[in-house]
Amino acid sequence: MNDPRCHRYEKPRSRRDFLFNAGLGVGSMAFTDLLARDLRVPAAGTPKRDGIGSIAPRAKSVIFLFMEGGPSQMDLLDPKPLLQKLAGQRLPESFGKVITAMGEVGAPLLASKREWTRHAKTGQWFSDWIPHIGGCSEDIAVIRSCKSDGLNHSAGVCQMNTGSIIAGKPSLGSWVSYGIGSENRNLPDFVVMQDNQSSVVNGPRTWGSAFLPAVHQGVRIQGGTEPIPDLLTPDAVGPEMQRAKLDLIGELNRDYAGRFPDQSELSARLAGYEMAFRMQAEAPGVVDLNGETEATRKLYGLDDKTTETMGRLCLLSRRMVERGVRFVQIFHGAGSKWDAHAKIEDNHSKLCASMDKPVAGLLKDLKSRGLLDETLVVWGGEFGRTPMSEKGDGRDHNPTGFSMWMAGGGVKGGQTIGSTDELGLRAQETPLHVHDLHATILWLLGIDNMGLTYRYKGRPERPTQNEGEPYKKIVG
Amino acid sequence: MSLRPALILPLLAALPGLAADDLSEKALSILDRRCFECHSHSAGKNKGGLVMDAAQGLTVGGDSGTALVAGKPEESLFLQRILSTDEDEMMPPKGDRLTAEEVATIKSWVSAGAKWPASRAAKPVSGKYLPGRINDEDRSWWAYRPVVRTEVPAPALPSTGSNPVDRFIDQRLTKEGLTPAPEAARTALIRRVTFDVTGLPPTPEEVEAFVKDAAPGAYERLVDRLLASRGFAERNARVWLDLVRYADSDGFRADDYRPTAWRFRDYVIRSLHANKPYDRFLQEQVAGDELFPGDPDALTGTGFLHHWIYEYNLRDARGQWTTILNDVTDTVGDALLGAGMQCARCHDHKFDPILQRDYFALRAFFSNILPVEDRAAWTKEEAETHARKLAVWEKKTAAIREEIAKIEQPYRDKATTRSVGMFPEDIQAMINKPAAERAPVEAQLAALAWRQVDYEFARLDRVIKGENRTRLDDLRKQLATFDAEKPEEPPYVLAVREPARTASPVTIPKKDAAIEPAFLSVLSKTVPAAPAVIPPAPEGVESSGRRAAFARWLTQPENPFTARLAMNRLWQQYFRRGLTPYASDFGRLGEPPSHPELLDWLASEFVRLGWDVKAMHRLVLTSAAYRRSSDHPDPSAGRTKDPLNVLVWRFQPQRLEAEQIRDALFAACGDLDAKKQGGEGALFSEPVRSVYTRAIRNNRDPLMDVFDAPEWFNSSSSRPVTTTPIQSLLLLNSPFMLKRGETMARRLRAELPAGTPEQHVARAYALLHARAPSPKETARGAAFIRANTKAAPEKAAATAAFNPEKIPNRDGQAARLDMDHRTPLVAAGTEGLDFSKGFTVEAVIVPRSVSDSGALRVIVAKGSGSSKESYWQLGITGMRSRRAPMVLALQAFGTLKDGSFSEAVHFSGLRIEMNKPYFVSAAVRYATPGSAGEVTFAVKDLSNDDEPLLVDKVASGLVALPDNPHPVSLGGRASSSTSGFHGALDDVRISSGALGTGDLLFTSEDPSPRTMGFWRFENKVGVMSDSSGRGHLLSMGMPAANKPGKTEARSDSKPGAPLSPADRALAAFCHAMLNGSEFLYVE
């Protein structure tokens, strides 16, 4: 048993009965009561781990908006006049050799067709694909100098989520869950959502906990009435039978745990059922948007078919961080939909249209509720795209220089960090590798990326694989 | 370029007038301020292998060599780096440059002899970052010392018997003032040892026989029976497969299935079952091809070097190859050396005496491998027989094959040019060279890249169209007529060979010198270790012999790692914790062994007995230590002095591993299929032992996930035990578990047809806990069953005949249709659906086989198939299809354009591969007087997002499909018992009219008014329900009838038959028991 929170064992009788009734739908009163009692309860008994405590946390939670497939930096956040000028020509030799994923090495440079707006106050540039996000410029720190090592989606997504291009390391959300747990014990620490049914590259291991205890892995929340698999009592079992069964299971397991009082994992099994009941009670409420006002729904674009799906996910993320979920990750364009090898105009205009307003809505909503200060919002994909064309009207993968942005959680808005070269091919000033980005996110949460360790196979493992430094200037 | 103004720093003359000590104080304080952040013991960093807060650190230098030459600033690399303006070299790499004055101070200090200041220790207290040093203290760490066999101690307790294990263990317990628990009850003991040795629970009959066996030696006989059983090999294979990161898929984005990987799994099971000596077992896996050429087992064993993950379209061939060699090196380090080699990949190991150089010297043993999949593991005789048969077949088919090749050639050429052209130029050059001219490393990289060309070759069919296509299909049909004469496909294995007798050179990144293969420096007299002596490979074996040399070294009796690692893992397996805690790392971050003499004694005994694996298992299993009860009469002393039970004062209860839980769930319910003893991996939903199911890396089963099965991306030597709410939810509410409860209830009812609840409870305890229930437990269980018979819900929790399956890369649940299923799923009320405007059929499928004949395997159909009335069916053609094998096709009987009523068959050119998830559809537009009819087929490979939606339009003469009185059936045709689809079926939708590709389910899941039926098999809404809202409920084989619920007195024990209320309560009881800790733990 590595997770001490599983050792928490509460007086089961009274509490479980209460939860049980709530779970069986005694009424919304019970729900409210339940939420009031459980919200913002510090994770009692969570031991302070190495690497926690030395850094003052600025953010309490993270919402990572992952644009899967790799959005184009030179069409969204990083305008390149030289690219417009040299469009149609080959990459000048001075830029050196490039390995591209699809191998169209000699393909001509592709101009950006975007109209650009420079924000009057901050000076940040946003293309006409993301006007709403551009409107939040004052809260956004654009990082134009991101770097990663994965040339293909699999390696890129793996690294942007786990730090390593090779599978087998825990995801960032899992590390955060391991490091600082969550303030809500009725919901998972780390929640994952996606905008369509396709599989995120590499499947669920993208949010897996690898060698960290399974309790830290991301839990995929789906739409509909059963957001978590097997959450609800199946119809064919029915409430009475379920109750009888649970009582019997409780008795069987208490009998067994009683025989080995020093074997904490046996009481952890009881606690596991306890938390399952609590989740059963709270999770459906989180995904029920009926209580949201019309204005809020509009803000997120729930009234428009184009933005409805992402709007719902963004609104759900706000509801989750409100309830203390530590790390929320949304995969937008799940299944590499941003991967515009051809027809980037078509591809990106659709994806941006579905994402721009909801994401801006999220920032505004968080801000108006006073949550933005403590919620770090991260936007970006596994890599960016090449200034060279592919198939005439698309762009290939580019891990050597691309843009992401962060907002809230202590980040100073309105700044533009780093740069790429004149064509947007490689990061130039203030290059921030994935490890640095992860270290920065952890640092904002008050986690020292070199201090937090987990012993696996007898060796100390760290969230950023012994690399990476937080970019502290991000707080201004 | 950089915004930082690049200061061009002149080499200033030395500053005059400073006293020597003052100068060195000043210089060091500059270095402290500007360099130590990344290069010092104090900061705990030695980037580039360099530490600068010790004199020795600077003189020895880092990865680039000596950093400081006293008196010679020009030769002092660290100073040159400070002066450099080259962005890749200059120091510090970020932030402000050193000022001219600072540089001058440092230069003066170097020129003056680089005296170390008095105020700073010349050597920091902790010397661990000093590069390239291994001292006597390092060498004296227990894991590097030779194994020493000590005398077996005299019995320490009156109860200590003759087993040497107990002599050591009891001696230590006595020393610590602890008394061991007595022997466990026989029921607990047989359950424990059976699970531990075979991974399965004992049957009640086996328990009874053992409990009643009063003759001496009953337990030893039990152990011998278990060790001789196949279960021993099946259970222990899992341990080994974890260590070698075995899996059945590529593990990258496409995560392709590896159709021959299972032969390695069978090899491991076979080897363990035959009790192959451990040294031979290791030699085969490391160098079977070099040491035992021609031995099929040895060749299969080399799969050990081939289980790494692979990305099918990575153009960075060099990068991928480096990753693969790193993986092999890391796995060898973990599994065979118990050393954290991967730490030393980038720098000397920070805690253990493993140099970065050692890492690459180890890699050099393996750097010459060439992974291959075309080597057959068979004997010379088998190969000859095959060659003879093949020659006959080849002769007969030469003309046909030649013509096929001729048609394909231009397409192959085009595919080759395109695929090769995607690689960087240097890789292209290697591919384009004649094979004979390639250097070994070029041969390796070219072969790696060529896999991508082969991948394109396998997909040529989708680009061959028109006349060529027709001719090709025809030729293939002709070729197929000779299939009976064609010998069976050879037993291909994942293996390695080498491209040449000379090996590819290995260098440390950013350094030029070639590293020769060598064993760890810490075991050597010199640092770094001298190159290993490599005897050449046998005559005729085109190989460097390096791996053979490594295998021999690894398995010589003096090797300090091999036997200790094996014995520590053996101890871990039976006592839950090794004698030293980390089973793949004996380094300093772990702990020295709790019983060093015992570990060494076991290791030496293992070697003495000729590496006899089963003998060592027997020795440990028959010890009194292993047989101890987990209940200690007075646990207080043990709990205080040894809470982790390292000293084995009692037995430590332990949760079963994921596979044991799954196997036990089937075994206890009586439906474990024990006939499956090898061969291609089964599906996870099939009731065979877990070791025989496919390990698909990116699509894990939730049950494996919640019970901590490793991911099989890298070597894993132990299983954590975690408890999560997700685990509880799965056990409590998942359809799989509910069905387990029902299956167990059917078993109890079948065994005790007129049994009372008390009798059923007793039987359940016997099956699950290998014991009789206490009176309290009997009463509680029986009361539960009685009380809940009334509360039992109307319907059984699980639809008994429905087998859920998870489709890779897809949410939710699908229906699994087995090869021998005879009853399609029939949709009620679909007899009269309106097909007059044309129609569209869509489904998500994973096909597992097609028919050997030409017959369609039906995905969806309507009609009986009789030529007297209309029907249609969408399916996949069989191997001997008259037009094309294994393609999506729509067969119909209806009114044609010429007014006749006859058959219209539409073959798409879309080939379907087995075991892949697909979205498939067919949209039918009828011909009208003014326009031709058309069937638009679409196929999307769901396993790879790069794959486009493939569309094929086929002209159709169909004008109309008159009504027939039959319902729509899924996965087969109602009237036919041979047309059944084999595989997984999901999201079947039928729509009115021909949908355009933009409206297909694949892109748009929104409900549409054109939807006539939509079946998704989701548990949430009911697996048999119709998501279109039109109420076309599915049933097995016959239309669902709304019969009033007549309650039967007793339910049929056959799966599929409804359960009576009493048995539903019994099922709930069983399900609760399966949630119980006692079922999930051994004590």
Side-chain angles (χ1 to χ4, degrees):
Chain A
M1 272 316 306
N2 287 303
D3 186 64
R5 287 167 313 139
C6 287
H7 296 215
R8 280 202 326 275
Y9 179 58
E10 301 164 58
K11 289 178 221 94
R13 270 297 162 190
S14 59
R15 175 151 188 82
R16 202 196 51 169
D17 283 351
F18 165 73
L19 288 161
F20 200 65
N21 291 334
L24 293 171
V26 161
S28 57
M29 278 307 290
F31 269 123
T32 326
D33 188 22
L34 180 75
L35 296 184
R37 288 171 56 161
D38 269 339
L39 275 180
R40 306 286 170 193
V41 177
T46 306
K48 222 176 69 190
R49 302 195 188 279
D50 288 344
I52 315 294
S54 56
I55 300 164
R58 290 169 167 83
K60 273 188 174 173
S61 41
V62 177
I63 299 174
F64 196 150
L65 307 166
F66 199 98
M67 308 293 117
E68 199 204 326
S72 170
Q73 69 275 25
M74 61 281 282
D75 293 306
L76 290 166
L77 295 159
D78 192 7
K80 290 291 162 190
L82 187 65
L83 181 60
Q84 305 305 103
K85 213 171 120 192
L86 299 185
Q89 301 179 27
R90 282 185 69 142
L91 185 72
E93 272 186 22
S94 59
F95 283 79
K97 285 214 189 303
V98 184
I99 300 183
T100 58
M102 297 312 290
E104 270 194 53
V105 179
L109 295 164
L110 179 70
S112 171
K113 294 202 170 68
R114 307 276 46 84
E115 298 281 331
W116 292 86
T117 307
R118 184 167 198 186
H119 193 272
K121 257 192 177 161
T122 66
Q124 287 175 335
W125 289 93
F126 296 92
S127 86
D128 57 355
W129 267 339
I130 46 172
H132 291 94
I133 291 175
C136 300
S137 175
E138 286 173 56
D139 293 313
I140 290 177
V142 174
I143 308 168
R144 284 180 171 174
S145 49
C146 301
K147 279 173 72 171
S148 71
D149 304 320
L151 182 59
N152 282 16
H153 296 286
S154 181
V157 169
C158 190
Q159 187 172 47
M160 193 53 87
N161 283 279
T162 72
S164 166
I165 59 169
I166 308 292
K169 303 286 184 192
S171 55
L172 187 64
S174 295
W175 276 110
V176 171
S177 161
Y178 166 71
I180 54 178
S182 162
E183 293 181 328
N184 185 330
R185 288 171 295 152
N186 306 347
L187 292 171
D189 297 356
F190 175 20
V191 163
V192 177
M193 296 182 280
Q194 54 185 71
D195 65 340
N196 70 74
Q197 275 226 20
S198 297
S199 174
V200 166
V201 160
N202 305 331
R205 75 162 154 94
T206 301
W207 50 88
S209 58
F211 49 72
L212 288 178
V215 72
H216 300 299
Q217 72 194 6
V219 173
R220 166 96 188 271
I221 299 263
Q222 287 163 296
T225 49
E226 190 169 39
I228 296 170
D230 307 318
L231 180 68
L232 304 178
T233 302
D235 288 348
V237 175
E240 270 183 77
M241 180 67 102
Q242 184 83 336
R243 180 184 188 125
K245 225 192 264 186
L246 280 164
D247 281 340
L248 180 58
I249 294 170
E251 284 181 43
L252 292 170
N253 287 346
R254 261 191 300 279
D255 282 358
Y256 197 73
R259 286 182 51 209
F260 305 104
D262 48 347
Q263 193 134 351
S264 58
E265 62 196 67
L266 291 170
S267 17
R269 289 208 72 238
L270 287 163
Y273 282 86
E274 290 287 320
M275 184 163 165
F277 309 144
R278 291 201 298 270
M279 223 184 241
Q280 215 163 39
E282 184 161 356
V286 178
V287 298
D288 178 5
L289 303 183
N290 283 327
E292 297 290 342
T293 64
E294 204 49 42
T296 305
R297 301 171 74 90
K298 271 198 163 147
L299 182 66
Y300 285 88
L302 286 178
D303 54 343
D304 180 348
K305 219 176 161 218
T306 315
T307 46
E308 189 187 351
T309 304
M310 185 61 174
R312 186 181 150 78
L313 300 185
C314 286
L315 180 49
L316 284 175
S317 343
R318 188 215 80 207
R319 292 172 65 88
M320 284 173 193
V321 299
E322 245 174 357
R323 283 161 176 77
V325 172
R326 188 66 75 181
F327 203 104
V328 180
Q329 190 159 7
I330 296 178
F331 285 90
H332 181 261
S336 305
K337 299 289 189 285
W338 282 87
D339 191 25
H341 286 282
K343 295 188 187 142
I344 192 165
E345 286 300 304
D346 208 28
N347 171 289
H348 271 39
S349 35
K350 273 189 195 151
L351 287 161
C352 288
S354 68
M355 170 281 299
D356 178 42
K357 189 177 176 194
V359 169
L362 172 67
L363 292 180
K364 289 175 197 156
D365 195 22
L366 287 172
K367 197 171 184 180
S368 71
R369 286 165 197 265
L371 285 169
L372 191 59
D373 291 342
E374 57 186 56
T375 308
L376 174 66
V377 181
V378 182
W379 180 99
E382 67 268 37
F383 40 55
R385 311 211 72 87
T386 53
M388 296 87 79
S389 62
E390 188 187 339
K391 295 179 180 142
D393 53 7
R395 299 187 190 276
D396 207 337
H397 310 166
N398 179 11
T400 58
F402 59 96
S403 302
M404 293 179 75
W405 58 255
M406 297 190 195
V411 168
K412 181 172 176 281
Q415 57 175 329
T416 301
I417 298 161
S419 66
T420 46
D421 57 35
E422 287 185 287
L423 289 173
L425 181 64
R426 293 191 179 91
Q428 200 168 57
E429 288 168 292
T430 327
L432 292 179
H433 184 270
V434 176
H435 290 138
D436 302 316
L437 296 166
H438 284 182
T440 308
I441 294 170
L442 293 169
W443 181 76
L444 289 166
L445 287 163
I447 301 172
D448 171 6
N449 66 307
M450 290 302 286
L452 184 65
T453 52
Y454 181 82
R455 184 80 75 86
Y456 172 61
K457 286 196 224 173
R459 300 156 204 159
E461 294 275 353
R462 296 187 169 85
T464 53
Q465 282 104 56
N466 303 340
E467 307 270 338
E469 281 179 42
Y471 182 74
K472 297 179 183 172
K473 287 184 195 158
I474 200 158
V475 297
Chain B
M1 292 316 297
S2 164
L3 268 194
R4 279 193 306 271
L7 290 178
I8 307 299
L9 296 167
L11 271 175
L12 297 183
L15 296 174
L18 279 176
D21 208 50
D22 199 19
L23 180 66
S24 49
E25 289 288 357
K26 270 198 159 173
L28 260 295
S29 93
I30 294 167
L31 297 184
D32 196 339
R33 232 173 29 248
R34 304 306 314 276
C35 311
F36 284 10
E37 195 185 334
C38 298
H39 301 284
S40 69
H41 295 81
S42 47
K45 286 187 183 167
N46 62 342
K47 289 203 169 173
L50 179 68
V51 282
M52 300 173 72
D53 62 343
Q56 199 182 23
L58 277 160
T59 49
V60 171
D63 297 344
S64 311
T66 300
L68 169 74
V69 182
K72 296 185 174 165
E74 308 77 33
E75 290 174 31
S76 294
L77 197 56
F78 86 100
L79 180 58
Q80 295 308 314
R81 291 283 167 92
I82 289 172
L83 292 170
S84 173
T85 54
D86 179 339
E87 268 198 280
D88 290 338
E89 281 195 344
M90 64 188 194
M91 287 292 154
K94 295 179 197 172
D96 297 331
R97 309 304 310 274
L98 268 65
T99 64
E101 196 185 340
E102 285 172 333
V103 172
T105 307
I106 291 167
K107 184 169 179 263
S108 302
W109 173 65
V110 174
S111 301
K115 189 171 172 281
W116 207 252
S119 66
R120 290 174 190 262
K123 186 185 168 188
V125 185
S126 152
K128 64 190 178 185
Y129 289 133
L130 280 179
R133 300 286 137 187
I134 291 175
N135 57 34
D136 288 347
E137 195 197 325
D138 293 326
R139 290 197 175 87
S140 68
W141 180 249
W142 69 272
Y144 309 119
R145 287 202 306 254
V147 170
V148 178
R149 186 181 173 103
T150 50
E151 280 293 307
V152 174
L157 294 164
S159 60
T160 309
S162 60
N163 190 315
V165 169
D166 292 319
R167 297 285 189 86
F168 284 103
I169 291 288
D170 287 358
Q171 184 194 40
R172 182 71 189 281
L173 280 174
T174 312
K175 200 176 137 201
E176 305 288 340
L178 293 169
T179 39
E183 183 163 316
R186 282 211 167 178
T187 48
L189 200 51
I190 184 173
R191 188 170 186 269
R192 177 195 303 171
V193 72
T194 309
F195 261 124
D196 276 357
V197 176
T198 70
L200 290 169
T203 65
E205 296 68 34
E206 287 166 354
V207 175
E208 204 189 332
F210 178 58
V211 170
K212 282 189 180 152
D213 188 349
Y219 177 75
E220 286 75 10
R221 281 194 299 281
L222 168 64
V223 169
D224 287 337
R225 171 173 69 77
L226 295 172
L227 289 175
S229 75
R230 224 187 129 72
F232 165 80
E234 290 164 337
R235 158 78 188 126
N236 282 274
R238 185 66 266 159
V239 179
W240 189 254
L241 295 174
D242 281 5
L243 277 171
V244 302
R245 85 266 184 244
Y246 165 86
D248 293 295
S249 77
D250 279 350
F252 256 110
R253 186 183 190 200
D255 203 22
D256 270 348
Y257 175 62
R258 296 178 169 174
T260 60
W262 60 269
R263 290 206 166 87
F264 181 86
R265 175 248 287 149
D266 280 4
Y267 154 82
V268 173
I269 293 174
R270 200 160 57 236
S271 301
L272 288 164
H273 195 39
N275 200 24
K276 181 178 283 175
Y278 187 66
D279 57 342
R280 168 85 186 204
F281 184 55
L282 295 186
Q283 287 163 4
E284 288 175 350
Q285 294 179 61
V286 170
D289 55 328
E290 290 186 332
L291 289 168
F292 316 107
D295 179 334
D297 253 17
L299 182 69
T300 312
T302 63
F304 168 68
L305 302 168
H306 201 150
H307 293 314
W308 26 262
I309 58 176
Y310 169 71
E311 170 80 307
Y312 84 108
N313 69 344
L314 184 56
R315 319 294 176 210
D316 179 8
R318 278 181 198 276
Q320 171 135 274
W321 185 237
T322 301
T323 305
I324 288 170
L325 289 181
N326 286 343
D327 168 276
V328 168
T329 312
D330 296 350
T331 305
V332 167
D334 276 6
L336 306 182
L337 303 180
M341 294 305 298
Q342 63 262 49
C343 302
R345 192 194 304 157
C346 309
H347 49 73
D348 291 346
H349 197 297
K350 292 191 176 175
F351 304 100
D352 292 328
I354 300 171
L355 309 179
Q356 188 187 23
R357 208 189 152 82
D358 288 334
Y359 183 88
F360 290 89
L362 176 62
R363 191 160 105 178
F365 284 108
F366 299 94
S367 59
N368 213 37
I369 56 168
L370 188 68
V372 286
E373 280 114 55
D374 61 349
R375 299 195 92 184
W378 54 11
T379 59
K380 209 170 154 218
E381 294 72 43
E382 287 167 325
E384 282 166 3
T385 313
H386 180 269
R388 258 199 318 278
K389 279 191 191 166
L390 189 67
V392 174
W393 176 85
E394 279 181 342
K395 202 173 159 197
K396 286 188 179 173
T397 57
I400 303 172
R401 286 183 300 112
E402 210 170 287
E403 197 183 340
I404 290 177
K406 213 175 129 191
I407 295 175
E408 286 182 349
Q409 197 56 46
Y411 298 96
R412 280 178 189 269
D413 292 344
K414 216 172 138 190
T416 306
T417 312
R418 203 184 56 245
S419 309
V420 172
M422 287 185 174
F423 285 97
E425 282 165 17
D426 56 334
I427 303 292
Q428 292 191 34
M430 293 174 198
I431 300 172
N432 293 331
K433 253 186 206 179
E437 289 171 24
R438 289 177 195 147
V441 69
E442 293 179 330
Q444 290 168 303
L445 290 170
L448 188 68
W450 192 261
R451 286 164 181 262
Q452 299 188 21
V453 182
D454 277 338
Y455 179 84
E456 293 300 324
F457 285 174
R459 295 153 21 115
L460 280 187
D461 268 11
R462 62 174 61 178
V463 290
I464 305 179
K465 298 248 159 87
E467 246 176 68
N468 279 338
R469 184 53 197 260
T470 317
R471 180 67 189 142
L472 201 56
D473 288 343
D474 187 44
L475 286 166
R476 285 190 184 145
K477 237 181 78 192
Q478 287 180 36
L479 189 63
T481 59
F482 295 92
D483 278 0
E485 294 171 67
K486 193 178 180 182
E488 265 185 53
E489 184 167 270
Y492 293 127
V493 291
L494 295 181
V496 301
R497 60 181 184 87
E498 297 195 0
R501 292 177 76 87
T502 51
S504 310
V506 168
T507 52
I508 300 178
K510 297 179 193 164
K511 293 182 193 176
D512 296 333
I515 305 281
E516 294 297 317
F519 308 113
L520 294 187
S521 295
V522 71
L523 301 178
S524 162
K525 288 190 176 64
T526 59
V527 176
V533 177
I534 312 286
E539 206 57 40
V541 177
E542 196 67 359
S543 212
S544 68
R546 287 184 173 190
R547 286 176 291 119
F550 182 81
R552 284 194 203 97
W553 169 81
L554 187 70
T555 52
Q556 62 188 359
E558 305 81 58
N559 185 293
F561 305 126
T562 309
R564 275 184 182 137
L565 272 174
M567 289 303 103
N568 192 56
R569 286 177 184 146
L570 175 67
W571 197 267
Q572 174 181 281
Q573 192 178 333
Y574 292 131
F575 293 97
R576 320 314 181 203
R577 184 190 189 279
L579 290 164
T580 177
Y582 298 107
S584 283
D585 199 325
F586 284 179
R588 280 184 191 156
L589 288 176
E591 291 162 29
S594 55
H595 301 76
E597 296 85 8
L598 172 57
L599 179 58
D600 273 18
W601 189 88
L602 288 170
S604 72
E605 183 70 357
F606 189 30
V607 174
R608 191 183 70 83
L609 295 179
W611 305 91
D612 183 334
V613 175
K614 285 192 187 182
M616 299 313 291
H617 279 260
R618 189 177 194 280
L619 185 75
V620 172
L621 287 166
T622 54
S623 69
Y626 178 75
R627 289 148 77 167
R628 261 167 215 152
S629 170
S630 46
D631 289 313
H632 194 288
D634 179 14
S636 53
R639 279 181 195 159
T640 318
K641 291 183 183 168
D642 180 24
L644 292 175
N645 193 24
V646 174
L647 304 177
V648 202
W649 49 272
R650 63 162 184 162
F651 188 81
Q652 192 71 30
Q654 177 75 8
R655 196 185 75 199
L656 299 173
E657 292 180 1
E659 293 85 350
Q660 292 174 312
I661 291 171
R662 181 180 169 281
D663 292 357
L665 282 167
F666 287 118
C669 297
D671 56 354
L672 181 71
D673 173 9
K675 289 194 295 294
K676 173 93 178 163
Q677 298 199 336
E680 191 159 8
L683 296 176
F684 200 80
S685 57
E686 292 175 278
V688 301
R689 290 207 65 172
S690 304
V691 75
Y692 298 120
T693 61
R694 291 174 196 191
I696 304 299
R697 284 178 164 123
N698 289 346
N699 279 288
R700 288 151 60 75
D701 187 89
L703 188 73
M704 292 290 102
D705 237 6
V706 298
F707 286 113
D708 306 290
E711 293 186 305
W712 303 305
F713 285 100
N714 39 45
S715 177
S716 169
S717 55
S718 63
R719 301 271 183 106
V721 176
T722 54
T723 304
T724 70
I726 301 296
Q727 182 189 90
S728 308
L729 288 171
L730 182 136
L731 289 174
L732 187 62
N733 290 335
S734 72
F736 172 76
M737 286 303 294
L738 290 170
K739 191 163 174 180
R740 289 293 92 208
E742 291 186 0
T743 309
M744 188 169 160
R746 283 179 206 279
R747 175 184 189 170
L748 297 179
R749 178 60 71 190
E751 288 175 353
L752 301 161
T756 61
E758 284 77 7
Q759 287 168 318
H760 285 143
V761 170
R763 183 69 180 161
Y765 272 80
L767 286 167
L768 300 179
H769 301 338
R771 67 176 176 93
S774 68
K776 181 191 145 202
E777 286 166 332
T778 308
R780 179 168 67 194
F784 176 90
I785 296 167
R786 291 208 172 89
N788 289 291
T789 299
K790 264 183 274 155
E794 282 297 300
K795 51 184 171 175
T799 305
F802 175 81
N803 289 305
E805 186 181 330
K806 166 94 175 63
I807 290 192
N809 305 3
R810 189 121 187 119
D811 284 346
Q813 143 182 305
R816 188 189 90 218
L817 300 170
D818 292 331
M819 176 85 120
D820 54 0
H821 90 98
R822 290 286 176 268
T823 44
L825 297 149
V826 177
T830 49
E831 292 84 352
L833 289 183
D834 180 12
F835 290 93
S836 63
K837 299 183 190 75
F839 63 98
T840 305
V841 192
E842 301 164 273
V844 170
I845 56 168
V846 183
R848 299 248 141 68
S849 69
V850 294
S851 67
D852 288 334
S853 68
L856 279 191
R857 285 271 169 86
V858 175
I859 301 167
V860 190
K862 185 175 189 305
S864 65
S866 149
S867 58
K868 294 198 178 79
E869 55 188 21
S870 81
Y871 76 87
W872 59 261
Q873 54 190 20
L874 175 72
I876 305 169
T877 59
M879 292 307 287
R880 280 175 221 282
S881 159
R882 57 199 152 106
R883 273 287 296 283
M886 295 165 76
V887 298
L888 192 64
L890 183 93
Q891 194 178 4
F893 223 92
T895 313
L896 302 190
K897 229 176 167 181
D898 60 8
S900 68
F901 185 80
S902 54
E903 191 182 36
V905 191
H906 313 87
F907 294 98
S908 78
L910 303 171
R911 196 177 162 90
I912 305 287
E913 286 174 54
M914 297 302 104
N915 298 310
K916 270 198 173 187
Y918 288 100
F919 164 81
V920 297
S921 72
V924 179
R925 205 182 70 214
Y926 297 130
T928 60
S931 71
E934 192 171 69
V935 178
T936 306
F937 292 96
V939 166
K940 168 80 174 80
D941 176 355
L942 298 176
S943 71
N944 186 347
D945 278 310
D946 287 343
E947 294 288 346
L949 180 77
L950 301 174
V951 175
D952 195 20
K953 293 175 191 264
V954 177
S956 173
L958 273 179
V959 174
L961 282 169
D963 285 347
N964 67 47
H966 305 282
V968 167
S969 59
L970 277 53
R973 210 169 61 223
S975 58
S976 156
S977 61
T978 56
S979 62
F981 177 74
H982 175 209
L985 184 64
D986 199 5
D987 288 3
V988 177
R989 187 169 77 167
I990 299 184
S991 309
S992 171
L995 298 182
T997 48
D999 293 324
L1000 291 180
L1001 194 52
F1002 166 64
T1003 41
S1004 167
E1005 293 183 0
D1006 301 330
S1008 154
R1010 297 163 83 172
T1011 306
M1012 300 196 286
F1014 191 13
W1015 299 277
R1016 313 197 69 170
F1017 307 108
E1018 290 311 320
N1019 205 47
K1020 272 182 241 174
V1021 291
V1023 292
M1024 297 303 208
S1025 77
D1026 174 8
S1027 295
S1028 73
R1030 294 177 199 275
H1032 301 306
L1033 283 184
L1034 292 176
S1035 62
M1036 283 285 173
M1038 60 186 125
N1042 293 324
K1043 274 183 260 169
K1046 209 181 99 196
T1047 318
E1048 299 138 87
R1050 189 179 299 161
S1051 46
D1052 200 325
S1053 64
K1054 279 201 299 269
L1059 287 173
S1060 69
D1063 286 355
R1064 287 200 286 273
L1066 182 58
F1069 170 74
C1070 293
H1071 179 221
M1073 292 283 283
L1074 296 174
N1075 271 259
S1077 298
E1078 188 169 356
F1079 170 64
L1080 299 168
Y1081 278 70
V1082 288
E1083 57 181 87

